[in-house]
Amino acid sequence: MIRMMKVATAVAVASSMAFTATPATAAVKTVKVNVTLKGDLSWTSTESLITVSSVKGTSAKKTDVFTSLTGTGRAAVPSSTCTVFAGDGVLKGKTGTITFTIATGAQACGAADAAPAMVNVDAKATVKSGTGAYKGATGTLKIKGNFLVKSVAAGTKETDQFTVTFTGDLKTK
């Protein structure tokens, strides 16, 4: 009888430990991002819409967290020197990628009403997902950049060189 009580007690203790044990949580890591990329921005326009069919850029520093950028976007043809825009993109590094969307409120503003004109971009990128070392990534990155447009006429099809800088912190698991 004593032996059965010891076994029953051991089983009861083991069972209660299984229910009260807390699972190990993955440590959250912060990844500092400060990368400048340069490349080509291809777009077309109609009377009312600007469609960015391709954004392709690279970092000059191979030691940067992210070394390449791809993306697409769209904006209304501006009635003044500024317009809001939206888009999606991917930043790729040696140890993984992040996919992002341009957050509401992004602006592209021309330095003049007529082309050629420098267009300055001010936006935030909200991280949607990540792969590799950035799996489970979350965060918002600031985006500042510019490109020179040659024409603003409807029916324009251009490829312009751009420079853009992403800064901020990512949280990964």
Side-chain angles (χ1 to χ4, degrees):
M1 183 73 167
I2 292 176
R3 184 167 187 232
M4 262 182 23
M5 286 178 57
K6 285 184 180 181
V7 170
T9 303
V11 169
V13 169
S15 295
S16 67
M17 289 175 63
F19 289 109
T20 59
T22 55
T25 56
V28 175
K29 296 178 188 173
T30 300
V31 177
K32 299 253 182 228
V33 177
N34 185 354
V35 59
T36 299
L37 302 117
K38 296 181 179 189
D40 292 324
L41 169 86
S42 298
W43 60 275
T44 57
S45 69
T46 65
E47 291 289 329
S48 61
L49 184 66
I50 298 168
T51 303
V52 177
S53 58
S54 173
V55 175
K56 292 182 182 177
T58 58
S59 167
K61 297 179 186 176
K62 299 301 176 202
T63 57
D64 281 335
V65 172
F66 297 107
T67 54
S68 71
L69 165 69
T70 57
T72 60
R74 59 222 158 269
V77 170
S79 57
S80 65
T81 57
C82 292
T83 189
V84 295
F85 71 96
D88 298 295
V90 176
L91 284 169
K92 182 178 179 184
K94 290 180 184 176
T95 59
T97 64
I98 61 165
T99 302
F100 64 87
T101 190
I102 302 297
T104 303
Q107 287 211 357
C109 296
D113 286 336
M118 185 63 67
V119 175
N120 296 304
V121 174
D122 187 7
K124 291 183 180 176
T126 303
V127 176
K128 296 189 311 185
S129 64
T131 66
Y134 311 111
K135 186 174 183 177
T138 60
T140 302
L141 301 174
K142 292 180 186 177
I143 303 172
K144 295 271 187 189
N146 60 51
F147 60 98
L148 181 68
V149 296
K150 300 171 198 91
S151 175
V152 293
T156 297
K157 185 175 185 176
E158 283 186 21
T159 297
D160 301 311
Q161 292 183 337
F162 73 88
T163 300
V164 66
T165 301
F166 287 79
T167 56
D169 292 342
L170 297 176
K171 302 288 184 193
T172 63
K173 296 180 182 179

